[in-house]
Amino acid sequence: MIIVLFPGKPTLYGSLTCQGIGLDGIPEVTASEGFIVNEINKKSIHISCPKENASSKFLAPYTTFSRIHANSITCLDISSGGGLGVSSSTDGSMKIWQASNGELRRVLEGHVFDVNCCRFFPSGLVVLSGGMDAQLKIWSAEDASCVVTFKGHKGGILDTAIVDRGRNVVSGSRDGTARLWDCGRSACLGVIADCGASINGVAVGAADNSINLGSPEQMPSEREVGTESKMLLLAREDKKLQCLGLQSRQPVFLFIGSEAFNCCTFLSGFLLLAGTQDGNIYQLDVRNPRTPVQVIHRSGAPVLSLLSFRDGFIASQGDGSCFIVQQDLDYVIELTEADCDPVYKVATWEKQIYTCCRDGLVRRYQLADL
């Protein structure tokens, strides 16, 4: 069945019928009235509804990794060279695996309770993780040793961001604070924000020259590296999206959304995206943040992850939907097979897209030339 959703309009329903398999192994599919099958191959089908000017390309996974974790996978990332993946699960484990085939390489043990977030440093040789134990840890991807542990948060760490090449990192916590850390000395360089509400997502981005980030009240530590002209974005549980200067600690804007903000990302030096618990994706311009550039609402399911990708973005939601929007494409790419299980995180390397899901699977999608 095809279901086309338009906010404020009646939902359109249609159906696809397989007439058989062609000699080339590709199904021969027809669509019901009002819908057109534009293109089909073994891994994708492109369907449009001309009357409503709607068009989607549904993409099946190229491969699926089922043996990395036994339980729900809450976070994943791919190294800068594309060779390794790291992921964390509700079974309490965090693992490094071969990105090409899902083969297990290392198990990173040391957090107490669940690991909420994990990501590679730009080098691809080191991993940063944050857990419900309120600890932030740095690991060697080569031998699985924990080289640094940061302590200072009073609640579970929900997200992290790496500043430039990684001499400094930022963490956001359930305790309502965002902190800046010095990796070389495993010390906290300061509480950047204390907002009294859980910080669900953090992002760091280089600011456009036209944006006034303010000046720091005190001389920044010489241990702060790469924080100048950077913005810090905080997705908060109290329905607020907060932006401030990373070095200055001065406010840039505070935007109030429809529900709790779960995630955020920068698209450019002035454009950003943030997703809420009730399914809204806000696109804001930092230079004029009062009115959103647009609000994308596909369903009421929580927006769980947002990732800048080429000249657009990838979003995943709590109803299993995961989709790619690109400026130069007149259709949306839908990543299929998660069914109704939440897709918690998305990572990319070149034309490959990896997702992790509550069903315990990592899916790898292969994009054709966009």
Side-chain angles (χ1 to χ4, degrees):
M1 178 181 279
I2 318 164
I3 304 173
V4 184
L5 300 168
F6 300 100
K9 287 187 180 180
T11 302
L12 287 181
Y13 294 90
S15 61
L16 297 175
T17 308
C18 181
Q19 309 286 0
I21 307 290
L23 293 173
D24 52 5
I26 294 170
E28 293 172 359
V29 175
T30 56
S32 58
E33 191 179 346
F35 293 91
I36 296 171
V37 177
N38 300 74
E39 184 193 357
I40 185 167
N41 60 39
K42 288 180 180 177
K43 288 289 182 188
S44 70
I45 183 168
H46 183 181
I47 300 161
S48 58
C49 176
K51 186 179 168 210
E52 295 293 342
N53 197 24
S55 189
S56 289
K57 185 175 192 174
F58 298 88
L59 189 62
Y62 182 77
T63 183
T64 300
F65 305 142
S66 59
R67 296 171 62 179
I68 300 172
H69 295 282
N71 290 33
S72 173
I73 305 173
T74 50
C75 194
L76 92 166
D77 193 25
I78 301 296
S79 65
S80 52
L84 294 176
V86 63
S87 54
S88 58
S89 166
T90 53
D91 62 13
S93 68
M94 179 168 47
K95 297 177 180 180
I96 292 175
W97 35 274
Q98 201 74 32
S100 58
N101 57 15
E103 191 178 306
L104 189 63
R105 294 289 296 273
R106 299 276 182 268
V107 178
L108 307 179
E109 293 177 312
H111 277 289
V112 187
F113 314 125
D114 283 1
V115 181
N116 292 326
C117 46
C118 55
R119 65 170 69 238
F120 282 100
F121 277 77
S123 67
L125 304 172
V126 186
V127 169
L128 176 67
S129 66
M132 287 307 286
D133 56 5
Q135 294 184 31
L136 197 63
K137 288 179 178 284
I138 296 176
W139 312 78
S140 162
E142 293 173 305
D143 64 8
S145 60
C146 176
V147 290
V148 173
T149 298
F150 300 108
K151 294 182 181 177
H153 278 296
K154 304 282 192 292
I157 293 165
L158 300 178
D159 199 12
T160 61
I162 292 170
V163 182
D164 274 3
R165 287 182 300 174
R167 287 175 65 179
N168 294 168
V169 298
V170 176
S171 58
S173 165
R174 272 188 163 173
D175 65 14
T177 66
R179 291 173 180 256
L180 181 70
W181 305 87
D182 172 7
C183 296
R185 290 189 181 162
S186 59
C188 181
L189 292 171
V191 175
I192 308 286
D194 188 352
C195 36
S198 181
I199 298 173
N200 297 325
V202 300
V204 170
D208 186 78
N209 292 335
S210 61
I211 295 162
N212 179 14
L213 297 180
S215 301
E217 290 173 1
Q218 298 171 326
M219 187 76 177
S221 160
E222 77 279 357
R223 301 295 300 177
E224 275 193 37
V225 182
T227 57
E228 67 280 357
S229 70
K230 296 284 194 314
M231 298 178 283
L232 175 64
L233 195 57
L234 305 176
R236 294 168 33 171
E237 184 68 23
D238 60 359
K239 305 185 186 180
K240 290 173 183 167
L241 182 70
Q242 181 179 0
C243 183
L244 26 84
L246 182 55
Q247 186 183 73
S248 70
R249 322 288 205 254
Q250 300 298 322
V252 176
F253 73 79
L254 190 67
F255 178 84
I256 299 173
S258 55
E259 245 308 337
F261 280 99
N262 291 330
C263 51
C264 54
T265 190
F266 285 101
L267 296 177
S268 72
F270 53 85
L271 284 177
L272 61 92
L273 291 176
T276 62
Q277 185 67 14
D278 58 353
N280 285 325
I281 298 173
Y282 290 90
Q283 184 179 358
L284 299 179
D285 187 325
V286 180
R287 299 166 302 185
N288 180 25
R290 285 186 184 169
T291 309
V293 177
Q294 63 172 334
V295 181
I296 300 164
H297 184 93
R298 304 221 329 177
S299 78
V303 181
L304 300 177
S305 78
L306 289 165
L307 181 66
S308 176
F309 182 66
R310 306 211 176 179
D311 63 356
F313 66 90
I314 308 176
S316 72
Q317 292 186 258
D319 58 2
S321 67
C322 188
F323 58 95
I324 307 172
V325 174
Q326 295 287 288
Q327 268 180 354
D328 59 351
L329 289 184
D330 58 1
Y331 58 87
V332 176
I333 299 173
E334 310 271 355
L335 304 181
T336 66
E337 269 196 24
D339 203 11
C340 294
D341 279 308
V343 176
Y344 291 114
K345 201 80 176 177
V346 180
T348 62
W349 184 74
E350 294 188 346
K351 291 177 188 170
Q352 296 174 52
I353 297 171
Y354 295 77
T355 65
C356 66
C357 184
R358 188 174 67 185
D359 62 12
L361 300 180
V362 170
R363 293 177 173 86
R364 176 161 70 101
Y365 299 85
Q366 188 85 38
L367 287 183
D369 294 326
L370 287 179

